[in-house]
Amino acid sequence: MMKKKGLMLTTVFASALALAACGGDDKETTEKPTGGTTDTGTEENTTDKGGSTAESPTLPMSVENEGEAIDGGTLQFALVTDSPFSGVLLAELYENAYDADVMDFMTNSIFDTDGDFLITDEGIAKLDVDADNNKVTVTIQHDVKWSDGTPLTADDIIYSYEIIGHKDYTGIRYDGDFQNIIGAKEYKAGTADSISGIKKIDDKTVEISMTKVSPAIYSGGDGLWGYAAPKHQLKDIPVKDLISSEAVRKNPVTLGPFKLDKLVDGESVQYVANENYWRGAPKLDKVVLQVVPSTSIGEALRTGQYDMVSSYQTTQYDGIKDLENISILARPELAYSYLGFKVGKWDSAAGDTGLNVTDENAKMNNKQLRQAIAYAMDVESVTEKFYQGLRSRATSLIPPAFSTFHDNTLSGYNYDPEKAKALLDEAGYKDVDGDGIREDAKGEKFSIKMAGMSGSDTDEAIVEYYRQNWKEVGLDVQLTTGRLIEFNSFYDKVKADDPEIDMFMAAWGTGTNPSPLGLYGEASAFNYSRYVTPELQTLLAAIDSKDAIDPAVRADAFRAWEEYMFDEATTVPTYFRTEILPVNKRVKNFDASYDGGTKWHEIELTADAPIK
């Protein structure tokens, strides 16, 4: 769950284990949600459904700017966030989109993927799959060096697995998928000194044996990990201390085109070209990344302070669409926004490393109540009025970018307040005292606490509009803490199953593996709704089964899971997202496509400073 994709220039590879939690509903972030817009929208104009529907702007995915490239130069990059970045700069440990953006310039990824997000042979390593014997082989293809000049070896690939599987590992990537590796459970339990299913064949080759090999392996699933960890730098640091170590926080040794030069905690990073980069020396001398609040980024682009941004809130598109010093690109996001319902708890003592446990008596464990809440949301008006046509109502939990598995015949939860009222009536939620607010089935006062992420005034307006939607069908929805919550605190509360959260609005950057196991499995810490049933587990298993190597079989399995999740409504998708990418016109050529897009080391500039 990790990675917020950011621009994903070095590689698009990110497994389900690397999903990114997204910010407020717009960084909305991805992994992952969150600038001066000329029209932030209000509750009033959102309810006005007259006039024409917003049309999606036609935006390119690449740009070619005139001018001769200068030698070197410094790219100015804005990390758009209203919170400091955490600064956990190791793929095995980080958990949010902003750290993913910081790491993107110096990524340790070893695989490349194609336009269908399947692993190719063009990266640092290639993948060979022996499905009959449930084995894969990872082979380093080049004489690759770490940023400090030390050669990359099979030991570094193995060490990344040993970090995740270690008994003292406290991160989120040891889950049911990782346990598919033979020997992972014993190593985690401390009864084995190594993961028996992982073997070093030679200095460039690793063999991994698994309990099963499914089609997910080609997208980085089944427990396959797409990164290496510098063993020579990290091996003497206890795993429990890695997250606070200088090797992770201050001076990471990395494989990407740039390496960290200077860092101001939570605020900025200066990178310099990595002379050891395996694809060749970067054309830039430096990159400077600076945190910029969402309310300031529009003006910062107008005045030529930055060349590129980590994200730009679609609600603010009108504020920059006519600027002459930037080009605006767009592409579909590997992400979706959603409304989640808390129906259980994470039991850290259950299973090998913890399990989701559904509570039959949870307040929100009423399917008709959840469905009613979904039908009461006027998502269409929000996408029209706030998102400039760059959001659409989501109909499933598989983004359209996964064209093979996204079923565009699904209708999702259309806005239907009368149906919402009927469902609430059937479930016994009725207005007993005549105040317009429904009581629960026992006739007692009923209020729902919802957590949402803070960001711009637009985020507040959207949440207030939905609260009005719910009030119109008789539901009292109050904000957890009485206000929207800062990004990091929001996810801390959601992960901890804070009793003050009944439902929450968030988003997922899915990574490039469409398998939902990492988000909705019984052993997945990312299953924030904590919803588990035998039927759900069976449906998830079918998606990643041996039979599902046949794309048609897998597509049917996805459809069955999507229909089940629609009916249960514990996670209701709200928006599919189009990502807009402003690029200053001194950036010579830039292609944002997932297949064959520009990589960081290829970027050139035509002037010494961003064009104003």
Side-chain angles (χ1 to χ4, degrees):
M1 269 357 3
M2 95 187 187
K3 167 164 173 60
K4 169 191 176 297
K5 55 195 176 316
L7 294 176
M8 285 188 177
L9 295 175
T10 48
T11 179
V12 169
F13 181 86
S15 73
L17 291 174
L19 288 175
C22 294
D25 187 68
D26 209 280
K27 185 181 168 250
E28 248 178 356
T29 82
T30 179
E31 113 92 6
K32 171 237 183 246
T34 319
T37 178
T38 58
D39 179 10
T40 59
T42 65
E43 181 176 323
E44 272 180 339
N45 68 24
T46 304
T47 60
D48 176 11
K49 300 183 76 171
S52 61
T53 298
E55 294 184 1
S56 298
T58 301
L59 298 172
M61 204 174 293
S62 64
V63 64
E64 295 181 9
N65 290 317
E66 296 181 356
E68 185 176 347
I70 64 173
D71 291 332
T74 299
L75 184 81
Q76 302 293 336
F77 186 90
L79 179 64
V80 183
T81 171
D82 299 312
S83 306
F85 60 83
S86 302
V88 179
L89 307 180
L90 187 69
E92 291 71 25
L93 295 175
Y94 86 97
E95 298 185 14
N96 68 61
Y98 304 110
D99 285 349
D101 279 327
V102 174
M103 287 191 292
D104 199 31
F105 294 94
M106 49 185 185
T107 177
N108 291 345
S109 55
I110 60 173
F111 296 122
D112 275 10
T113 61
D114 61 19
D116 291 323
F117 314 115
L118 301 176
I119 295 172
T120 71
D121 289 346
E122 297 177 4
I124 288 174
K126 68 174 182 176
L127 176 70
D128 292 302
V129 178
D130 180 356
D132 291 338
N133 294 302
N134 293 325
K135 291 181 179 181
V136 300
T137 302
V138 178
T139 306
I140 299 171
Q141 304 186 94
H142 311 279
D143 292 326
V144 179
K145 294 181 179 179
W146 291 95
S147 56
D148 64 358
T150 303
L152 171 73
T153 71
D155 291 328
D156 300 313
I157 293 174
I158 294 171
Y159 196 61
S160 63
Y161 289 91
E162 292 177 341
I163 290 173
I164 295 171
H166 196 276
K167 63 183 179 63
D168 294 330
Y169 176 74
T170 58
I172 55 178
R173 294 182 178 89
Y174 182 86
D175 63 1
D177 220 16
F178 194 89
Q179 293 168 35
N180 184 48
I181 300 171
I182 291 174
K185 293 181 180 180
E186 292 78 6
Y187 179 66
K188 183 67 174 179
T191 59
D193 294 332
S194 63
I195 302 174
S196 61
I198 300 179
K199 295 181 180 179
K200 176 181 175 181
I201 304 303
D202 56 42
D203 282 345
K204 288 194 172 185
T205 311
V206 178
E207 181 185 86
I208 305 173
S209 297
M210 301 173 170
T211 59
K212 68 175 177 65
V213 168
S214 79
I217 196 72
Y218 300 105
S219 300
D222 286 345
L224 182 70
W225 183 240
Y227 299 83
K231 185 173 182 178
H232 66 283
Q233 184 196 31
L234 304 179
K235 63 183 175 63
D236 294 327
I237 303 172
V239 169
K240 63 182 177 62
D241 296 331
L242 277 175
I243 198 166
S244 59
S245 68
E246 289 199 357
V248 170
R249 297 278 187 168
K250 296 292 185 182
N251 59 346
V253 171
T254 55
L255 294 172
F258 294 89
K259 57 185 179 181
L260 194 150
D261 182 42
K262 298 177 183 177
L263 182 147
V264 177
D265 288 343
E267 297 181 10
S268 66
V269 181
Q270 177 172 290
Y271 311 86
V272 294
N274 176 12
E275 64 274 16
N276 294 306
Y277 185 49
W278 69 281
R279 277 190 164 115
K283 295 180 179 180
L284 297 171
D285 295 323
K286 297 179 181 179
V287 175
V288 174
L289 176 149
Q290 180 74 45
V291 166
V292 182
S294 61
T295 53
S296 304
I297 187 57
E299 178 65 12
L301 288 169
R302 186 187 70 80
T303 56
Q305 297 180 48
Y306 297 98
D307 294 299
M308 303 179 75
V309 302
S310 60
S311 64
Y312 192 85
Q313 194 166 8
T314 51
T315 54
Q316 300 174 4
Y317 169 69
D318 279 349
I320 63 168
K321 67 179 182 180
D322 296 323
L323 295 181
E324 295 183 357
N325 64 330
I326 64 171
S327 300
I328 301 177
L329 311 183
R331 69 179 177 193
E333 288 196 54
L334 298 178
Y336 57 87
S337 301
Y338 68 93
L339 177 68
F341 296 91
K342 285 289 186 181
V343 295
K345 301 286 185 182
W346 174 256
D347 185 351
S348 59
D352 295 308
T353 59
L355 295 173
N356 294 290
V357 179
T358 300
D359 178 5
E360 293 183 0
N361 298 314
K363 180 193 290 188
M364 307 310 294
N365 202 357
N366 183 301
K367 182 165 66 175
Q368 289 175 309
L369 170 64
R370 299 191 299 264
Q371 291 176 338
I373 289 171
Y375 279 120
M377 297 177 71
D378 186 7
V379 174
E380 288 84 354
S381 285
V382 170
T383 60
E384 291 173 13
K385 300 294 184 178
F386 287 94
Y387 290 117
Q388 322 296 324
L390 291 164
R391 290 284 179 271
S392 62
R393 184 175 60 82
T395 57
S396 77
L397 298 173
I398 300 296
F402 296 107
S403 57
T404 301
F405 304 119
H406 170 73
D407 189 335
N408 59 14
T409 68
L410 296 171
S411 61
Y413 282 94
N414 293 286
Y415 177 51
D416 192 339
E418 295 308 312
K419 188 168 187 176
K421 292 175 185 177
L423 284 164
L424 290 169
D425 288 341
E426 292 173 16
Y429 296 88
K430 298 181 179 180
D431 180 11
V432 176
D433 56 14
D435 65 352
I437 300 300
R438 296 171 184 264
E439 279 69 40
D440 66 16
K442 297 179 181 179
E444 299 176 353
K445 290 288 184 183
F446 184 71
S447 179
I448 299 169
K449 294 183 178 179
M450 189 196 79
M453 276 172 276
S454 61
S456 68
D457 291 343
T458 303
D459 296 314
E460 295 180 7
I462 291 171
V463 168
E464 286 307 307
Y465 179 59
Y466 285 138
R467 289 183 64 210
Q468 182 63 36
N469 285 168
W470 292 319
K471 186 176 181 180
E472 288 171 359
V473 299
L475 293 176
D476 176 26
V477 177
Q478 300 295 325
L479 293 179
T480 301
T481 74
R483 61 183 62 85
L484 298 181
I485 305 169
E486 180 271 335
F487 174 85
N488 293 309
S489 297
F490 171 88
Y491 277 107
D492 286 344
K493 288 179 178 293
V494 170
K495 287 188 287 187
D497 300 321
D498 190 311
E500 294 300 301
I501 298 177
D502 298 319
M503 62 185 190
F504 55 97
M505 298 182 74
W508 277 125
T510 62
T512 57
N513 178 7
S515 172
L517 179 63
L519 284 177
Y520 299 101
E522 182 180 24
S524 173
F526 289 113
N527 183 353
Y528 290 151
S529 287
R530 312 307 184 197
Y531 180 65
V532 179
T533 67
E535 185 176 2
L536 173 57
Q537 295 305 104
T538 298
L539 291 168
L540 289 170
I543 290 172
D544 293 335
S545 68
K546 268 276 204 303
D547 290 342
I549 288 178
D550 181 337
V553 172
R554 200 174 195 217
D556 288 342
F558 269 107
R559 173 64 186 249
W561 173 77
E562 289 175 281
E563 290 180 340
Y564 179 82
M565 292 299 287
F566 165 78
D567 184 60
E568 293 300 315
T570 52
T571 302
V572 175
T574 50
Y575 314 122
F576 290 139
R577 304 143 69 98
T578 297
E579 179 179 26
I580 59 173
L581 306 170
V583 179
N584 190 271
K585 289 188 175 179
R586 76 156 176 157
V587 177
K588 185 165 179 55
N589 298 311
F590 183 70
D591 183 341
S593 63
Y594 292 116
D595 183 15
T598 307
K599 297 176 174 60
W600 285 127
H601 76 288
E602 298 172 325
I603 290 182
E604 295 178 283
L605 305 173
T606 61
D608 291 326
I611 296 171
K612 297 183 179 181

